[in-house]
Amino acid sequence: MEKIIIEGKTRLSGEIKVSGAKNAVLPIMAACILNDGENTISNVPDLADVRTMIKLLETLGAKCEYSDGELLIDSSAIRSYKAPYELVKTMRASVLVLGPLVARFRKAEVSLPGGCAIGERPIDQHIKGLRILGASVRLEDGYVSASAKKLEGTTVPFDLSTVTGTENIMLIASVCEGETVILNAACEPEVVDLANALNLMGAKIEGAGTDIITITGVSSLGALSDYTVMPDRIEAGTLMIAGALNESNLTINGCRFEHLGALSGKLLQTGAWIEKNGDSSIRVKGAAEIRSIDFSTLPYPGFPTDMQAQMMILMCLADGMSVITENIFPQRFMHTAELRRMGADIKLVGNSAVVRGVREIKGAPIMASDLRASASLVLAGLCGTGKTEVSRIYHLDRGYEKLDEKLRSVGASIWREKE
Ligand code: EPU
């Protein structure tokens, strides 16, 4: 295992390029189960989660080759419809193969994901959607077992906005007979990226990006040819916060400003200076005095839950009190105990964190608990005095491509060591 060491308080300056989006590429990879061809995808980030999805597709029978951001998935030999516990337990997004497997084989066995560091993550809405489309679904021996004689498009009303739930139903409905209308669909940009990829395969999807998505089923889908995955808005956002800390000055290239509206608005309120250079480059300069603000996480286009832990670091050093409310995953506060060890003043009240800004936080040995928490701990290390050691950074490598190298290239004193 590796840990990351950071000597804090360096002012970052320079340019960083954002990688392809983890949460867009995973469903697009699952979509390749729906055809029998050779799919090529580019701008694929080198992440542990991408490697897990490759392993899962290979377990199903696909042949995959990954090199330098280019991924080839040959789906012609997919013969298995079982996603085993060993893989699903390491990555909850494995549930995205459920819809495509039912569509391809009329049956699927996908292990139920277990507990998760960010709180309860049920998949009842995925199951409800599958049942509405005609599948019979049972939960047995820790697996979701689905089978369907016939799948027919109809209205799928979600009780709440679910990203992977919307994606699973979009995937299966693409090849269902007739028209499917998803009501209360998730509007996240990653849902739009999946719809774009499916449409290039020959699907007929309209309305992605709004809360009503209409899918007219087609009899079969072709292979995906050289699809470029959208940039990772959460990586971009994390780097924007790095720019707002320590009076840094960072230019983040290859991102999409339109995906970063809620975060940009909040960062401006903290006193950070943000400049948009065209549609795909943002410059962020940190203020000497950070102003405290309140914020609440919401589905897109609201403030993303995947940015809550990172934004909290800024509030730890702000000039007053901030109330941070987590509406998506009410228990997603594992990072707060580690931040307190660095001297942050944070109290948890229900699904809110009350943060009182302090003059400085101090480097300490700290431990990552999940992906976004680990990014927030790295940011904390960047602005803490002295040395911070972040252990269990395999969480970071699940979703950030070479974050330490990227930060080093703009002046951070950050390196890896064996634990
Ligand atoms: N929910 C249910 N029932 C369901 C599905 C969801 O009650 O059947 C609830 C969840 O418990 C949560 C809310 O609905 O309270 C939203 O969850 P959602 O289903 O949207 O989350 P997800 O699809 O499992 C994706 C991302 C997460 C991100 C969330 C929210 C992927 C692969 N994962 O998860 O990303 O936090 O949407 O935006 O797209 C991450 O990248 O670190 C990460 C956790």
Side-chain angles (χ1 to χ4, degrees):
M1 264 204 279
E2 287 181 320
K3 61 183 174 183
I4 281 185
I5 320 283
I6 307 160
E7 294 279 0
K9 286 281 191 213
T10 30
R11 191 174 289 179
L12 308 184
S13 169
E15 302 192 15
I16 305 189
K17 187 169 179 304
V18 170
S19 301
K22 167 181 88 78
N23 289 346
V25 74
L26 296 175
I28 292 171
M29 290 170 74
C32 297
I33 295 173
L34 292 169
N35 64 53
D36 255 333
E38 281 202 2
N39 301 274
T40 48
I41 311 171
S42 56
N43 202 28
V44 176
D46 188 3
L47 302 172
D49 274 9
V50 168
R51 286 190 290 272
T52 303
M53 187 57 104
I54 288 176
K55 245 188 242 160
L56 177 51
L57 293 175
E58 285 175 344
T59 305
L60 299 173
K63 292 200 174 60
C64 303
E65 278 170 35
Y66 177 68
S67 150
D68 209 14
E70 304 291 322
L71 176 63
L72 182 140
I73 301 172
D74 178 352
S75 303
S76 59
I78 294 182
R79 298 281 179 266
S80 167
Y81 50 84
K82 183 165 179 171
Y85 176 63
E86 292 67 45
L87 289 172
V88 177
K89 76 173 183 201
T90 60
M91 185 183 72
R92 301 183 65 84
S94 309
V95 76
L96 283 163
V97 302
L98 180 59
L101 287 177
V102 177
R104 183 169 177 135
F105 295 105
R106 294 290 185 263
K107 55 186 170 184
E109 285 175 30
V110 175
S111 172
L112 258 182
C116 178
I118 68 176
E120 283 249 346
R121 295 180 71 181
I123 56 162
D124 57 296
Q125 296 300 307
H126 303 233
I127 293 172
K128 170 182 160 173
L130 284 179
R131 285 187 173 136
I132 292 175
L133 295 176
S136 97
V137 186
R138 293 183 317 279
L139 301 180
E140 44 187 23
D141 306 328
Y143 276 77
V144 183
S145 282
S147 60
K149 287 207 174 70
K150 192 167 182 208
L151 292 164
E152 235 171 328
T154 180
T155 303
V156 177
F158 281 126
D159 299 338
L160 45 77
S161 170
T162 159
V163 177
T164 49
T166 301
E167 291 167 344
N168 239 333
I169 297 309
M170 236 165 61
L171 285 159
I172 189 169
S174 293
V175 289
C176 272
E177 225 169 80
E179 188 180 90
T180 300
V181 180
I182 306 178
L183 300 179
N184 201 11
C187 304
E188 270 67 2
E190 293 77 10
V191 173
V192 179
D193 215 36
L194 173 63
N196 291 341
L198 283 167
N199 283 341
L200 281 178
M201 292 181 185
K204 293 193 172 136
I205 302 174
E206 283 173 11
T210 75
D211 60 355
I212 301 181
I213 301 180
T214 305
I215 305 135
T216 308
V218 296
S219 54
S220 64
L221 294 177
L224 187 59
S225 179
D226 200 23
Y227 188 78
T228 304
V229 176
M230 63 173 266
D232 196 310
R233 66 193 168 99
I234 305 301
E235 185 200 3
T238 304
L239 294 170
M240 286 173 75
I241 292 181
L245 289 164
N246 293 338
E247 294 178 67
S248 296
N249 181 352
L250 282 186
T251 299
I252 297 132
N253 294 326
C255 56
R256 290 210 199 133
F257 189 71
E258 79 216 60
H259 294 163
L260 294 157
L263 174 66
S264 300
K266 285 294 169 190
L267 276 178
L268 283 171
Q269 286 175 38
T270 69
W273 180 89
I274 297 180
E275 184 184 66
K276 172 178 179 276
N277 305 318
D279 292 331
S280 62
S281 174
I282 302 174
R283 185 162 157 217
V284 180
K285 281 206 294 192
E289 294 287 325
I290 300 166
R291 286 197 291 271
S292 59
I293 53 156
D294 297 340
F295 66 94
S296 305
T297 63
L298 286 170
Y300 189 83
F303 191 93
T305 173
D306 290 344
M307 287 304 307
Q308 178 256 109
Q310 301 90 312
M311 188 72 175
M312 186 182 284
I313 306 304
L314 212 50
M315 293 303 98
C316 287
L317 294 165
D319 65 356
M321 193 180 85
S322 154
V323 179
I324 301 172
T325 304
E326 177 52 72
N327 291 312
I328 310 294
F329 298 112
Q331 295 156 39
R332 195 176 199 176
F333 285 121
M334 296 282 276
H335 43 289
T336 58
E338 300 303 303
L339 296 177
R340 266 189 229 112
R341 301 188 62 249
M342 296 179 74
D345 182 348
I346 308 167
K347 284 195 181 59
L348 296 182
V349 186
N351 66 330
S352 292
V354 179
V355 185
R356 285 190 175 79
V358 292
R359 287 201 74 76
E360 62 174 27
I361 55 174
K362 294 194 178 73
I366 47 179
M367 200 165 73
S369 55
D370 69 80
L371 168 56
R372 306 306 168 186
S374 55
S376 85
L377 298 185
V378 168
L379 293 178
L382 290 178
C383 53
T385 55
K387 186 163 139 186
T388 295
E389 291 189 16
V390 188
S391 55
R392 299 203 179 165
I393 53 136
Y394 52 86
H395 289 292
L396 187 77
D397 295 331
R398 282 192 42 213
Y400 286 91
E401 188 178 47
K402 303 187 177 91
L403 184 65
D404 46 331
E405 279 180 34
K406 289 187 184 185
L407 290 170
R408 198 160 53 238
S409 75
V410 289
S413 177
I414 179 171
W415 66 95
R416 283 178 190 238
E417 283 180 10
K418 290 259 175 286
E419 286 218 54

